[in-house]
Amino acid sequence: MASRGFLQTSSSSGDDLKLRNRLNESRSPYVRGHMNNPVAWQLWGPEAIELAKKSDRLIFISIGYAACHWCHVMERESFENQEVANILNSSFIPIKIDREERPDVDRIYMNFVQATTGSGGWPLNVFITPDLEPIFGGTYWPGPESTGAMAGHMGFVGILEKVRDLWQNQRQKCLESAKDVTQQLREFAQEGNISRKDGSDEDGLDLELLEEAYEHYAKKFDKQYGGFPRGAPKFPTPANLAFLLKLNQYPDAVRDVVGAEETENAKQMVLQTLNAMNNGGIHDHIGNGFARYSVTRDWSLPHFEKMLYDQGQLLPVYLDAYLTTKQPELLNAVQDIATYLTTPPLHASTGGFFSAEDADSLYRPNDKEKREGAFYVWTLKEFHEILGDRDAPILAKYYNVRDEGNVDPQHDAHDELINQNVLAVTTDAASLAKEFALSVNEVEKIIAHGKQKLLEHRNKERPRPALDDKIVVSWNGLAMGALARTAAALSFKHPEKSKSYLEAAEKAASFIKRELYDNTNHTLVRVYREGPGDTPGFADDYAFLISGLIDLYEATFNDSYLQWADDLQKSQIKLFWDSTNLGFFSTPEEQSDLIMRLKDGMDNAEPGTNGVSARNLDRLGALLEDEDYSKKARQTASAFEAEIMQHPFLFSSMMDVVVAGKLGVRHSVVTGQGERVEKWLHEFRSRPSGLGTVSRIGKGMGDWLKERNALVKSMDAEKEGVMVCEQGACRDDLDYSVGGLSI
């Protein structure tokens, strides 16, 4: 009897296998989006792998995500094409994978493609043996339906035929090559495994590493447009911005090493970058949030997908920038991102945050073809129709809207943006007031009113981009922590907004605990969509959620969040800790569908898992007076010692741990009630983030913490005070200036 994944019939491979498309069995929006392709896609897992072994076929894996523009392009050009489908179905086991569900699989084969081609991206397409060893891969390849294929370059059909023929006619050579490549991959992917190899001693990580990292960014900084590097494309990479901004907040010992002028320059680089992004086309000026990256050097043209993980990381960077400068434009950006996170479509009504909005959409409901940016771009004619002849010229000037469009044709590969304009702020109200002979107040009202009319038109007339409504634990941890910190910082001056941000963060925490957490064994499931998924949580799910829960605890002083973070930290250590070479693996030991186990240390679009984990261990070590946690923070950094010393700028999220290892982490315990402690707490929360932690005990607060932390238990919970604890000793420091604390 045939497996439910295939039917028996003849094929050009010489076996009797005929596959059928099984993607309707998936809950991933990205994977399900391909369930009507003529390609007989299979699902990644033991059954498909066994099928490849029995049929002796190569596996073709195609990895992408729902908001990916070029993934959609390749689907239209290739995976909806019958010629492509015939080759894939008769000669390969084709498997479609959502990279956000299986980042472990994606990272292994992305390493292979980057090592063999020098670049990477999505869609990621790789041919692998039945033993999962890669032989050939790349990203987007033009298909039979492509209008932009370059002469002399092999298209997808040619690649399929060549790989098929190599496997059929030179199989042994392919297998030997795959084994050799896999061994090289293992050697290439030794991040986090070489520093403590053979029990070598720790050299220790010095504060000079922060100076080296700063110098790298100072050299790469784009002085004209902000951001790194000077060319294009430009990614925000919030972990790097957070590090540079924090150089000003670390204890004086860091400033002594890096230099006062240098730390000030680091701050200015971040502020210029954040303001350029805030004004640029990467920002959705009409409906909130930021796109994933800019195609252009000047931030004017984004790839239009909007990702949860970007919002969750950019929010605290903009918050710290605002708390540093008190610039109203930065506060507007903070509230813009927080609004995007806490309202539909990204905020789920049942709790939690959805993953992304697509880059592509229909321009009008009756259109047949989606195009990139259709939801976000405008013509000058539309401005006049929507805004009227008085206001249209003012907003057109404000947002750089031109009759001929403002997108360079060289960046419009599919002619989707002809005469279209991506909104970017290129002037200010004072300049417009002078040009149009109006008061600044009148211009500001016209802009605000015009933005509202554009938003109403967009929501009414344009189909919204598709929503990737997966709830991913790691990204929810980022968003939850960002909102909790923002709520705490704004609680005194903006109480209503603060309340809504905090409610959203707490709702997300409740959802994850209810739907994706096993309270018996303290483990996580990674994804929720139409119910919990099948994939257990990875190390980043634990790390980012723990971080978010600590932020949520410090915003609420609700012990249950700290207790949950403690339980999750113990689980992360049990499941992912490398007791031989130290640090955290990304995957648990028993993962059976991977050819290698990797560690995630470097920062990319998301912060490195080990950097976040080490910071969590330092924070929990201070909050709980747990020396084992603090020791593991040092060991986690030690696992990456060789790599950090060689390229410290690749490990921005690890710099907190370098500083903490030298200078410690200060834990402030607020006790009792009264105006003085409330003022202290207000000042504490009004400062940008630093190394310190804060807890509170008193009436209805701190019972669990007192049992977990012997030092806190010994304190008088009724007495108004702030006890500052370092290295096992505490002192009452209520009258000490907050500005003197390392917070």
Side-chain angles (χ1 to χ4, degrees):
M1 184 175 178
S3 160
R4 58 197 178 97
F6 60 93
L7 304 171
Q8 299 294 335
T9 187
S10 61
S11 80
S12 63
S13 288
D15 55 38
D16 292 326
L17 191 64
K18 184 177 180 182
L19 304 169
R20 67 173 179 82
N21 190 312
R22 292 183 56 181
L23 300 191
N24 65 321
E25 298 169 32
S26 171
R27 289 196 290 238
S28 159
Y30 171 70
V31 172
R32 286 182 65 85
H34 293 74
M35 68 183 183
N36 294 318
N37 294 167
V39 176
W41 295 111
Q42 305 297 292
L43 298 168
W44 179 264
E47 188 173 347
I49 295 167
E50 185 61 28
L51 194 59
K53 290 178 178 178
K54 285 183 177 178
S55 64
D56 207 17
R57 292 188 184 187
L58 284 176
I59 297 170
F60 170 73
I61 57 171
S62 182
I63 305 176
Y65 57 100
C68 168
H69 169 68
W70 285 101
C71 299
H72 300 317
V73 172
M74 191 160 181
E75 181 187 16
R76 290 195 299 269
E77 293 179 356
S78 293
F79 301 139
E80 292 178 352
N81 179 273
Q82 193 61 52
E83 180 185 9
V84 169
N86 289 342
I87 301 173
L88 281 171
N89 297 349
S90 63
S91 300
F92 301 91
I93 304 296
I95 299 178
K96 179 58 71 174
I97 301 173
D98 185 333
R99 69 171 287 257
E100 295 161 2
E101 286 191 338
R102 293 303 304 263
D104 52 339
V105 178
D106 175 73
R107 188 174 171 212
I108 288 172
Y109 296 112
M110 183 64 78
N111 280 350
F112 164 70
V113 168
Q114 288 177 324
T116 54
T117 71
S119 62
W122 296 275
L124 178 66
N125 298 297
V126 186
F127 298 90
I128 63 177
T129 71
D131 291 325
L132 311 183
E133 296 174 334
I135 63 169
F136 183 71
T139 56
Y140 162 79
W141 290 310
E145 306 297 326
S146 174
T147 57
M150 296 175 64
H153 286 70
M154 188 177 294
F156 188 42
V157 169
I159 289 170
L160 287 173
E161 291 173 339
K162 192 171 183 66
V163 174
R164 177 195 64 191
D165 294 345
L166 279 170
W167 182 247
Q168 291 178 355
N169 301 321
Q170 301 181 52
R171 182 163 307 182
Q172 191 57 37
K173 185 178 178 181
C174 284
L175 290 170
E176 290 171 2
S177 174
K179 289 193 179 303
D180 183 51
V181 165
T182 302
Q183 181 56 36
Q184 290 179 44
L185 257 188
R186 288 195 174 96
E187 294 169 2
F188 175 75
Q190 284 297 298
E191 182 186 351
N193 291 328
I194 58 175
S195 298
R196 304 279 68 82
K197 197 173 182 180
D198 304 321
S200 58
D201 293 334
E202 299 178 30
D203 292 332
L205 296 168
D206 294 322
L207 296 179
E208 282 76 14
L209 290 166
L210 281 75
E211 181 185 18
E212 292 179 38
Y214 160 77
E215 287 174 351
H216 168 85
Y217 289 115
K219 289 175 184 175
K220 295 289 184 181
F221 182 64
D222 187 336
K223 294 180 181 178
Q224 184 174 358
Y225 296 110
F228 312 88
R230 295 186 184 91
K234 276 220 177 89
F235 289 82
T237 320
N240 299 338
L241 299 176
F243 158 69
L244 289 168
L245 194 59
K246 199 175 283 186
L247 283 174
N248 248 314
Q249 303 304 321
Y250 285 134
D252 290 343
V254 173
R255 197 173 294 109
D256 293 341
V257 170
V258 179
E261 185 178 331
E262 286 77 7
T263 57
E264 177 62 25
N265 186 50
K267 181 179 79 173
Q268 294 304 323
M269 288 193 294
V270 174
L271 295 176
Q272 183 180 343
T273 300
L274 292 178
N275 283 318
M277 288 170 51
N278 195 29
N279 289 330
I282 194 173
H283 180 198
D284 179 2
H285 294 276
I286 301 302
N288 311 121
F290 284 78
R292 193 164 74 93
Y293 70 96
S294 175
V295 176
T296 55
R297 178 185 171 191
D298 63 356
W299 303 101
S300 62
L301 177 63
H303 260 318
F304 291 88
E305 63 263 34
K306 292 198 287 190
M307 312 299 295
L308 173 61
Y309 61 74
D310 284 318
Q311 322 306 321
Q313 292 178 87
L314 283 171
L315 177 55
V317 177
Y318 272 105
L319 175 67
D320 283 338
Y322 164 68
L323 295 175
T324 300
T325 66
K326 297 300 190 285
Q327 290 179 10
E329 297 84 3
L330 294 170
L331 177 59
N332 290 340
V334 167
Q335 294 174 340
D336 178 288
I337 301 170
T339 298
Y340 183 58
L341 283 171
T342 56
T343 54
L346 220 59
H347 189 211
S349 60
T350 54
F353 306 97
F354 294 135
S355 293
E357 287 196 275
D358 208 332
D360 299 10
S361 60
L362 299 173
Y363 178 58
R364 295 181 182 86
N366 295 327
D367 287 353
K368 302 298 182 188
E369 292 289 331
K370 291 183 178 181
R371 69 177 200 237
E372 186 181 12
F375 188 68
Y376 300 102
V377 295
W378 305 84
T379 64
L380 183 60
K381 181 182 177 183
E382 286 176 317
F383 261 46
H384 279 278
E385 291 172 348
I386 297 164
L387 303 173
D389 291 338
R390 186 200 70 160
D391 295 352
I394 296 172
L395 273 90
K397 190 80 173 180
Y398 185 67
Y399 285 125
N400 192 33
V401 174
R402 308 171 191 167
D403 190 30
E404 70 278 13
N406 64 12
V407 179
D408 190 321
Q410 71 171 321
H411 298 306
D412 187 14
H414 302 285
D415 295 332
E416 295 173 315
L417 298 169
I418 295 173
N419 296 329
Q420 301 291 330
N421 293 272
V422 178
L423 303 191
V425 176
T426 55
T427 186
D428 56 30
S431 300
L432 291 171
K434 189 174 181 181
E435 181 176 349
F436 290 93
L438 297 167
S439 70
V440 172
N441 187 49
E442 285 176 306
V443 169
E444 289 174 342
K445 286 182 178 179
I446 288 169
I447 292 171
H449 184 58
K451 280 179 65 173
Q452 186 61 35
K453 290 175 77 171
L454 291 169
L455 177 62
E456 290 170 359
H457 174 87
R458 194 173 82 172
N459 289 341
K460 181 180 178 182
E461 300 296 333
R462 298 183 182 178
R464 194 159 191 114
L467 176 70
D468 185 342
D469 58 352
K470 296 192 310 293
I471 294 176
V472 179
V473 169
S474 61
W475 299 353
N476 272 253
L478 291 172
M480 181 195 311
L483 286 168
R485 274 208 58 223
T486 303
L490 302 185
S491 59
F492 294 91
K493 290 188 176 180
H494 304 275
E496 289 305 311
K497 290 183 183 296
S498 169
K499 182 182 177 184
S500 69
Y501 303 158
L502 188 58
E503 284 176 351
E506 292 199 280
K507 200 172 180 181
S510 296
F511 178 87
I512 292 170
K513 195 165 194 177
R514 183 175 67 250
E515 300 291 350
L516 295 169
Y517 178 64
D518 186 327
N519 199 44
T520 302
N521 58 23
H522 307 304
T523 57
L524 294 165
V525 173
R526 178 170 174 82
V527 173
Y528 182 96
R529 186 176 188 267
E530 299 172 357
D534 300 321
T535 305
F538 297 111
D540 66 319
D541 293 303
Y542 287 82
F544 297 176
L545 180 57
I546 291 166
S547 178
L549 288 169
I550 297 172
D551 288 331
L552 200 48
Y553 167 73
E554 291 186 338
T556 63
F557 300 121
N558 181 337
D559 270 14
S560 68
Y561 296 128
L562 190 57
Q563 182 178 0
W564 188 16
D566 187 32
D567 289 339
L568 286 169
Q569 187 60 75
K570 292 172 184 173
S571 294
Q572 190 197 24
I573 293 168
K574 179 181 177 182
L575 292 168
F576 304 100
W577 183 253
D578 180 357
S579 57
T580 303
N581 295 320
L582 310 180
F584 291 93
F585 286 110
S586 297
T587 53
E589 191 170 6
E590 70 277 3
Q591 199 81 36
S592 61
D593 54 1
L594 303 174
I595 56 172
M596 63 187 69
R597 204 176 176 204
L598 303 178
K599 289 180 185 172
D600 175 20
M602 292 185 288
D603 302 307
N604 290 292
E606 300 168 48
T609 300
N610 275 273
V612 175
S613 298
R615 184 166 188 261
N616 291 341
L617 288 162
D618 264 330
R619 296 172 78 189
L620 288 172
L623 283 163
L624 305 177
E625 202 65 33
D626 190 318
E627 183 55 36
D628 288 341
Y629 281 165
S630 300
K631 182 180 178 181
K632 273 202 162 44
R634 308 282 76 73
Q635 292 176 329
T636 301
S638 168
F640 297 86
E641 188 176 278
E643 295 95 331
I644 295 173
M645 291 177 73
Q646 188 172 9
H647 298 297
F649 60 89
L650 295 175
F651 295 85
S652 295
S653 63
M654 200 73 82
M655 292 300 123
D656 269 358
V657 191
V658 174
V659 178
K662 293 296 181 183
L663 304 177
V665 179
R666 184 171 284 175
H667 174 204
S668 301
V669 187
V670 179
T671 63
Q673 306 285 331
E675 285 186 18
R676 294 165 71 215
V677 293
E678 292 303 323
K679 181 182 178 183
W680 185 96
L681 195 57
H682 178 201
E683 291 182 18
F684 183 93
R685 288 173 167 171
S686 298
R687 291 284 302 272
S689 66
L691 288 180
T693 62
V694 63
S695 64
R696 188 166 190 174
I697 59 173
K699 190 174 181 181
M701 288 182 289
D703 289 346
W704 177 84
L705 178 59
K706 285 187 285 187
E707 294 304 312
R708 183 69 170 82
N709 184 333
L711 274 177
V712 172
K713 188 174 185 178
S714 67
M715 296 176 186
D716 184 350
E718 302 302 317
K719 178 187 174 185
E720 184 181 8
V722 177
M723 303 296 293
V724 176
C725 303
E726 294 178 284
Q727 299 177 337
C730 303
R731 68 176 187 275
D732 190 344
D733 222 21
L734 181 58
D735 295 322
Y736 191 73
S737 166
V738 174
L741 294 177
S742 301
I743 62 174

